């Protein structure tokens, strides 16, 4: 079994209305339970909005600390799920199901075996 990280990108700005968001989150919770029942779930983490980030860089040998996010953009990482599945095709299937539920893009990336 290989591990993959499913990284969810969310647009900056307002979230959907509360009633719509509640419906989406019910489907996300059901997806998570299905993932766990299949024995594929390893870990999930959500993130606060990108504007809460702090970036630490090294510039000319000096540490520079600035308010985030690291990159300017219209969307940022909103959360991630680490899964353990047989192969990339299986990981893509889980990502596709999540994308159909939320309409949010998901990046699928393999993780090293020792992670």
């Amino acid at each position: 079994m290989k591990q993959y990280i499913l990284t969810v990108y969310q647009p900056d700005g307002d979230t959907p209305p509360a009633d719509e968001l509640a419906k989406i989150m019910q489907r996300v919770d059901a997806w998570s339970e299905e993932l766990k029942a299949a024995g594929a779930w390893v870990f999930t983490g959500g993130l606060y909005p990108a504007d809460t980030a702090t970036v630490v860089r090294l510039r000319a040998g000096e540490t520079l600390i600035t308010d985030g996010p690291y990159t300017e953009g219209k969307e940022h990482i909103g959360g991630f799920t680490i899964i353990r599945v047989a192969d990339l095709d299986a990981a893509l299937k889980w990502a596709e199901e999540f994308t159909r539920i939320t309409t949010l893009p998901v990046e699928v990336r393999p993780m090293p075996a020792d992670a």
Side-chain angles (χ1 to χ4, degrees):
M1 297 292 241
K2 297 178 182 178
Q3 287 192 161
Y4 294 86
I5 185 168
L6 309 181
T7 307
V8 180
Y9 289 87
Q10 291 181 273
D12 292 342
D14 296 334
T15 58
D19 60 333
E20 186 179 327
L21 185 58
K23 291 175 188 174
I24 292 169
M25 292 312 298
Q26 284 178 342
R27 294 192 310 252
V28 168
D29 289 344
W31 175 85
S32 294
E33 290 305 315
E34 185 181 340
L35 192 63
K36 290 174 184 176
W41 183 84
V42 176
F43 180 80
T44 297
L47 302 173
Y48 285 104
D51 63 3
T52 65
T54 303
V55 179
V56 180
R57 305 172 197 257
L58 192 61
R59 198 167 271 162
E62 297 292 323
T63 302
L64 177 64
I65 299 174
T66 58
D67 290 338
Y70 175 71
T71 59
E72 298 282 331
K74 294 182 181 178
E75 59 185 23
H76 291 88
I77 297 172
F80 60 90
T81 298
I82 297 172
I83 61 174
R84 186 175 296 116
V85 293
D87 55 28
L88 178 60
D89 288 339
L92 292 173
K93 179 181 175 278
W94 286 109
E96 180 183 2
E97 289 181 32
F98 188 89
T99 297
R100 288 186 184 281
I101 291 167
T102 64
T103 70
L104 297 173
V106 176
E107 177 182 88
V108 178
R109 190 180 298 189
M111 297 180 67
D114 59 352

